[in-house]
C-alpha cells in the first residue's frame, strides 16, 4: 500500500516506512529531515515498497512455512473443553484458529466435552444432579439428558460455528458407525453409566477427513448391547488419536500445563518424556485433576501418537502457538 | 559345537535357573522353562533382577543335580518391540556404538493375567495378534547388559504391550565376506568394542 503523498514514495525506500494509518501530515517533516545521501539511493530503486504492517504480516507467514510443511497432511486431534468452550469470545477465537489450521493443510479432528451445559438442562427437565466425591452420578434419567446435551446441543452448536467460520464440519457421536464402543468403567457401580473405550473403529473418519470436512465428535458411545455410556472426553480423544494414527494430540484445559512446582505458576514444564512425567506422577508433583489427562496422554503416546500436548484454553491463539511456533505453549509430552 | 562341553559351573549372566534338577536337555539352547512354549519362543527367559554373577554361581553350586548352564562368548539379544519405538531404539543403539541390527515384522500377543493391551485405541485380549517388531542383535558377552539397558530405556512406555527381551547364547559368528570367525567377525569398526578397547590387534 503506497503512501498518499506521491513526492515521498521515491524518498522512502531504505527507511522504515510510515504507518499507513498515520495521516499524511506526519510524513512531511520526516522527509525534510532526511540526509541528502538517501536521495541518491532513492533514485536507484524506483519500485514503491509496501507498508510496514503488511510486510510484518507476510514476514510472519513466511516464518510459519517450516511448521506448515511439517504438519501438512498430518492428523491432529484436538480435545476442546473447559473455559475455552464456555466464553463466546474464546470460542470464536478457537474455532477461527481451527479453520485456519484446516486451510493450511492439517487434518483436524475435534473431540469435545461439555459438562457445564448438562447441569442447566438437567434442571430444566427437573432432574436433580447427584454427585459422589465430586464426580457426577449418571443414572438412567441423567444419561438420557447427557446424551441429548452432548450429542445434540453442544455437538451441533460447534458444528455450526465451524461452518459459519468458513470450513465444513460433520457432527458425530461415538455411536455413529460404531466409532466408539464402550464398556462400563470399574466404578460404574457407584457412578452409573460412565464408560471406558473398549474399541475404536475409525473407518468412518477417513472419508470425512478425505473430503475436507472436520469431524466433531461427542463422546457418547454404546456398549455391545446398545446401552449408552458417557465416556470421558480426554480419554476418548487419546484413543481416537491412537486409532487414526494422529501426529499430535492437543488437550485444551483451564490450566497452563504441568507445573514442576504446584505453587509456582512460572515453573511450567515445556517438554518432558513419558518416563519423566511418570516420575512426576509418582512423586506426587502432578495435581489430582491433571493425572487423568496425563495418563491419557501417556496411553496415546504408547500407542504411537507422536506428541501429546496439554495447553491452556485461556491463552488466545493457543492452538496456533503450539502448532506454528517453535516455542509452543503449555506442556509437550513426547515418547 | 555345543558349548555344553565347557564348564557348566559358570552361569550365564542374569539367567533364571530352574533348580528343580532333571533338566538335562539334549540341546544346549534352553536351560530352563517357566512358561509353556508358545509358538516361536522356546527360549530362555531373562530375569532382570539377579545380575550379580557370584550370587547366581553360588545358587548353581548348591543345586542338587548339575543343571546345564549355557555359557558362550556371544549372545543374541532378541527384543520384541512396538513398531513405532524401533527407530527410537535403533538410534539409541547407534549412539552407544552397536552397529549391527536385524529387524523383522512379526505379530504376537502375550497375556498379562487379565489386563488388556491397547492397540490403535481398542483393547485386545488373547485371541488377536498385534503387529510388533523383532529386533535381533548379536554381541559379545560384556556388551549384553548395556545393550539390554539401552533397549529398555528407549522402548519402555510403562503400558502393557511394551514387549520382551530374550537372550540366546550364540556359539559362533562368521563374517561371510572375509570368512572371519569368532571375536573378529563380531567386531564392527567404529563400534562399541572400538570405544571400549581402542587398540585392535589384528594378527
Amino acid at each position: 500500500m503506497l503512501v498518499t503523498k506521491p513526492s515521498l514514495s521515491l524518498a522512502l525506500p531504505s527507511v522504515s516506512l510510515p504507518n499507513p494509518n498515520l495521516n499524511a501530515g506526519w510524513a512531511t517533516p520526516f522527509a525534510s529531515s532526511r540526509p541528502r545521501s538517501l536521495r541518491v539511493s532513492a533514485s536507484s530503486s524506483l519500485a514503491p515498497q509496501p507498508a510496514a504492517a503488511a510486510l510484518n504480516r507476510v514476514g510472519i507467514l513466511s516464518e510459519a512455512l517450516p511448521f506448515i510443511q511439517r504438519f501438512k497432511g498430518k492428523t491432529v486431534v484436538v480435545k476442546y473443553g473447559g473455559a475455552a468452550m464456555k466464553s463466546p469470545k474464546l470460542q470464536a477465537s478457537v474455532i477461527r484458529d481451527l479453520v485456519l489450521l484446516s486451510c493450511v493443510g492439517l487434518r483436524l479432528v475435534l473431540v469435545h466435552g461439555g459438562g457445564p451445559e448438562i447441569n442447566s438442562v438437567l434442571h430444566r427437565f427437573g432432574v436433580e444432579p447427584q454427585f459422589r466425591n465430586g464426580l457426577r452420578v449418571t443414572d438412567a434419567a441423567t444419561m438420557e439428558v447427557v446424551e441429548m446435551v452432548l450429542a445434540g446441543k453442544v455437538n451441533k452448536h460447534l458444528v455450526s460455528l465451524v461452518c459459519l467460520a468458513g470450513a465444513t464440519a460433520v457432527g458425530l457421536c461415538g455411536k455413529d458407525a460404531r466409532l466408539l464402543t464402550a464398556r462400563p468403567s470399574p466404578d460404574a457401580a457407584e457412578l452409573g453409566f460412565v464408560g471406558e473405550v473398549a474399541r475404536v473403529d475409525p473407518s468412518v473418519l477417513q472419508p470425512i477427513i478425505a473430503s475436507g470436512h472436520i469431524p466433531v465428535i461427542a463422546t457418547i458411545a454404546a456398549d455391545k448391547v446398545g446401552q449408552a455410556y458417557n465416556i470421558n472426553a480426554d480419554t476418548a480423544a487419546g484413543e481416537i488419536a491412537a486409532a487414526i494414527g494422529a501426529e499430535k494430540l492437543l488437550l485444551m484445559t483451564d490450566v497452563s500445563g504441568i507445573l514442576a512446582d504446584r505453587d509456582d505458576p512460572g515453573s511450567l514444564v515445556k517438554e518432558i518424556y513419558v518416563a519423566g512425567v511418570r516420575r512426576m506422577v509418582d512423586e506426587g508433583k502432578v495435581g489430582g485433576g491433571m493425572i487423568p489427562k496425563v495418563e491419557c496422554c501417556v496411553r496415546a503416546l504408547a500407542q504411537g501418537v507422536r506428541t501429546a500436548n496439554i495447553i491452556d484454553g485461556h491463552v488466545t491463539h493457543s492452538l496456533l502457538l503450539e502448532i506454528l511456533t517453535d516455542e509452543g505453549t503449555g506442556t509437550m509430552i513426547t515418547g | 559345537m555345543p558349548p555344553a562341553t565347557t564348564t557348566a559351573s559358570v552361569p550365564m549372566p542374569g539367567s533364571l535357573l530352574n533348580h528343580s534338577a532333571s533338566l538335562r536337555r539334549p540341546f544346549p539352547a534352553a536351560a530352563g522353562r517357566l512358561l509353556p512354549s508358545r509358538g516361536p519362543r522356546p527360549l530362555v527367559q531373562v530375569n532382570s533382577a539377579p545380575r550379580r554373577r557370584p550370587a547366581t554361581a553360588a545358587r548353581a553350586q548348591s543345586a542338587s543335580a548339575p543343571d546345564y548352564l549355557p555359557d558362550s562368548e556371544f549372545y543374541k539379544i532378541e527384543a520384541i518391540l512396538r513398531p513405532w519405538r524401533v527407530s527410537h531404539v535403533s538410534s539409541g543403539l547407534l549412539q552407544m556404538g552397536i552397529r549391527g541390527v536385524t529387524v523383522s515384522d512379526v505379530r504376537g500377543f502375550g497375556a498379562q493375567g487379565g489386563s488388556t493391551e491397547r492397540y490403535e485405541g481398542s483393547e485386545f485380549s488373547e485371541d488377536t495378534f498385534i503387529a510388533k517388531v523383532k529386533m535381533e542383535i548379536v554381541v559379545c558377552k560384556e556388551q549384553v547388559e548395556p545393550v539390554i539397558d539401552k533397549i529398555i530405556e528407549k522402548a519402555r512406555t510403562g503400558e502393557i504391550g511394551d514387549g520382551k527381551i530374550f537372550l540366546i547364547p550364540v556359539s559362533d559368528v562368521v563374517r561371510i565376506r572375509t570368512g572371519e570367525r569368532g571375536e573378529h567377525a563380531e567386531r564392527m569398526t567404529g563400534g562399541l568394542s572400538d570405544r571400549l578397547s581402542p587398540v585392535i590387534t589384528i594378527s
Side-chain angles (χ1 to χ4, degrees), chain A residues 120-140:
Chain A
S120 61
V121 179
L122 277 175
H123 275 128
R124 276 198 254 169
F125 273 79
V127 180
E128 266 310 306
Q130 296 170 38
F131 289 87
R132 195 168 299 176
N133 298 335
L135 300 166
R136 180 200 307 282
V137 175
T138 314
D139 56 1

Side-chain angles (χ1 to χ4, degrees), chain B residues 91-112:
Chain B
S91 60
L93 289 174
L94 269 177
Q95 265 173 16
M96 71 180 275
I98 302 299
R99 307 178 82 226
V101 174
T102 306
V103 165
S104 46
D105 290 313
V106 297
R107 293 179 307 139
F109 202 86
Q112 288 289 329

Side-chain angles (χ1 to χ4, degrees), chain A residues 183 196-201 239-240 242-244 273-274 278 295 298-299 301-305 335, chain B residues 82 84-85 88 116-125 128 153-154 156-162:
Chain A
R183 63 165 166 80
E196 304 224 347
V197 177
R199 290 200 80 78
V200 183
D201 182 1
E239 305 304 340
I240 291 174
I244 56 177
Y273 282 116
V274 168
R278 278 199 193 275
E295 308 244 302
V298 168
R299 265 213 303 271
L301 288 165
Q303 294 177 76
V305 176
Chain B
R82 300 187 199 262
W84 48 87
R85 299 299 270 183
H88 216 62
T116 50
E117 174 176 352
R118 277 199 178 271
Y119 179 70
E120 288 187 345
S122 309
E123 293 176 320
F124 286 93
S125 59
T128 12
E153 176 200 330
K154 291 291 178 185
R156 172 184 281 167
T157 65
E159 298 289 319
I160 291 178
D162 272 347

